[in-house]
Amino acid sequence: MRTLNLAIFYGNNLGTQILVSEISRRLGAQGHRLCFVHSVRRSLPGNAFEATWPEVQWLVLFPERDLYPHLDQQSLQSGARAWSPRQLAEHLGGAYTTVTRSEINSPALKQFLAQNKVDLGLSIRFPFRFRSETMAYFREGPASGRPFWNLHSAILPDYPGYAPMRWVMHHREPSASFTLHEIRAELDRGAIIDVRPQPVDYALDMASNLLALLPAAADMAVEAVGAWTRGVPVRTQANSAAAQKMYCKRLGEADRARMQRSGLKFVDVNRIKAACLQHFSRPDTVHFSELEALLAKKSAAGNFTDQFFTAP
């Protein structure tokens, strides 16, 4: 099996970092050379009210402001299952760059891809839209092409758009999955490569159900890369716009209030804390104790307590 130069584009969400770490670890172990393109924001996510929601606090703001800086100050945990963005590149020896929304389609990013001789791009819950400059790098590849794929966190074509898991659970869908698909100019419309549905557990919160999808999502990506490197054609199926149930927009206050009234649970803090310890550290180490203390401090801050966040 030949080895490739792979570019991993990814966002800041806690689950995203766990997924990126797992995929990168497995691809690196196969001998592929990785480089990383990590998104950074210039402002808070969405609107100010969104930043107060516990799932945003724990899945987005806590990793950015507390978890990743904390990990960067500690020694690298080689036996861990996930690392901060910078430590991930350090651990796997890959080039690392950050981009804002205005930089993702810049000539500088295209040059970064060219300098690292990228053969295949994999986007993992990347929050910025790819346009002409970046898309051109993959279109202008050799005769065999440069694949450019995305892992979308819901089943396509039914649930395209932003952070769809809340909408999936609000509509009481029986199953959920990530979808691996080709990237095209139209958002979430590229041909579907793989989808692996599994039951949604409505006794659990949204974040826990999403985390449960990560192992299958990692398998989809790693197996598709493996097939490509062996010269096996990657089979695809149509991503029909006509079949879409809805485009998942960014939630407004009224949307989230409606979901609360329906009984949707957003985040179980104890489960989030356990996932952080399980993936980013190792038991019986000082590193583990210090991360445990950071999580306890976060729980005690503000109005966030260790419980399901549901409607009053």
Side-chain angles (χ1 to χ4, degrees):
M1 183 174 69
R2 67 191 179 106
T3 58
L4 301 175
N5 297 317
L6 304 174
I8 309 293
F9 299 80
Y10 62 107
N12 292 298
N13 184 284
L14 179 67
T16 303
Q17 191 63 33
I18 292 171
L19 180 56
V20 169
S21 295
E22 175 65 14
I23 290 172
S24 300
R25 181 189 62 80
R26 290 170 62 179
L27 292 175
Q30 293 176 4
H32 299 299
R33 296 172 294 277
L34 307 177
C35 66
F36 301 93
V37 182
H38 183 215
S39 67
V40 295
R41 285 192 302 267
R42 295 302 190 199
S43 60
L44 290 173
N47 301 296
F49 61 79
E50 185 180 357
T52 67
W53 298 343
E55 69 271 24
V56 175
Q57 285 281 334
W58 278 97
L59 300 180
V60 180
L61 299 182
F62 168 68
E64 289 181 356
R65 297 175 174 178
D66 301 290
L67 178 60
Y68 302 152
H70 171 82
L71 294 173
D72 286 342
Q73 293 174 3
Q74 311 300 314
S75 59
L76 184 103
Q77 294 290 294
S78 59
R81 296 168 57 185
W83 305 270
S84 73
R86 289 189 179 278
Q87 286 187 331
L88 176 61
E90 176 187 343
H91 183 46
L92 296 175
Y96 172 78
T97 190
T98 60
V99 292
T100 63
R101 186 181 300 275
S102 63
E103 295 168 340
I104 180 54
N105 296 295
S106 66
L109 192 277
K110 187 178 178 183
Q111 183 179 15
F112 175 84
L113 299 175
Q115 287 175 339
N116 286 283
K117 300 179 180 179
V118 168
D119 301 306
L120 186 152
L122 180 61
S123 169
I124 303 174
R125 305 185 76 197
F126 191 72
F128 307 145
R129 190 164 184 175
F130 299 108
R131 297 189 186 277
S132 57
E133 285 287 345
T134 303
M135 295 288 287
Y137 175 82
F138 293 95
R139 285 198 307 268
E140 296 164 2
S144 59
R146 290 190 183 114
F148 196 16
W149 299 335
N150 178 54
L151 269 173
H152 176 72
S153 56
I155 295 176
L156 293 176
D158 292 350
Y159 285 92
Y162 175 83
M165 192 63 186
R166 286 178 287 200
W167 289 106
V168 168
M169 291 187 68
H170 178 61
H171 292 155
R172 304 295 294 186
E173 296 287 357
S175 59
S177 175
F178 275 69
T179 300
L180 181 66
H181 68 96
E182 296 177 345
I183 294 178
R184 294 290 182 264
E186 291 184 294
L187 198 63
D188 297 335
R189 297 285 182 85
I192 295 170
I193 298 168
D194 202 352
V195 60
R196 302 184 184 184
Q198 60 191 61
V200 177
D201 186 349
Y202 284 93
L204 299 179
D205 58 295
M206 180 273 299
S208 296
N209 272 291
L210 186 61
L211 289 174
L213 301 177
L214 301 187
D219 288 345
M220 284 193 283
V222 172
E223 290 171 17
V225 171
W228 181 266
T229 59
R230 294 192 303 273
V232 177
V234 176
R235 296 182 178 180
T236 62
Q237 63 186 63
N239 186 352
S240 171
Q244 291 177 353
K245 292 184 178 179
M246 66 174 294
Y247 182 85
C248 299
K249 62 180 181 178
R250 184 183 289 275
L251 293 189
E253 289 183 284
D255 297 315
R256 191 173 182 282
R258 187 165 66 253
M259 291 178 179
Q260 282 185 306
R261 289 193 296 270
S262 74
L264 194 158
K265 304 176 181 72
F266 293 99
V267 61
D268 181 332
V269 177
N270 278 333
R271 284 180 170 272
I272 291 296
K273 290 161 63 177
C276 286
L277 291 168
Q278 177 187 8
H279 288 90
F280 292 97
S281 194
R282 293 177 297 141
D284 302 320
T285 64
V286 172
H287 187 279
F288 188 94
S289 300
E290 292 183 349
L291 179 55
E292 198 170 34
L294 175 68
L295 291 162
K297 180 179 178 181
K298 171 62 179 175
S299 293
N303 297 317
F304 304 112
T305 56
D306 296 338
Q307 61 182 344
F308 283 127
F309 287 93
T310 59

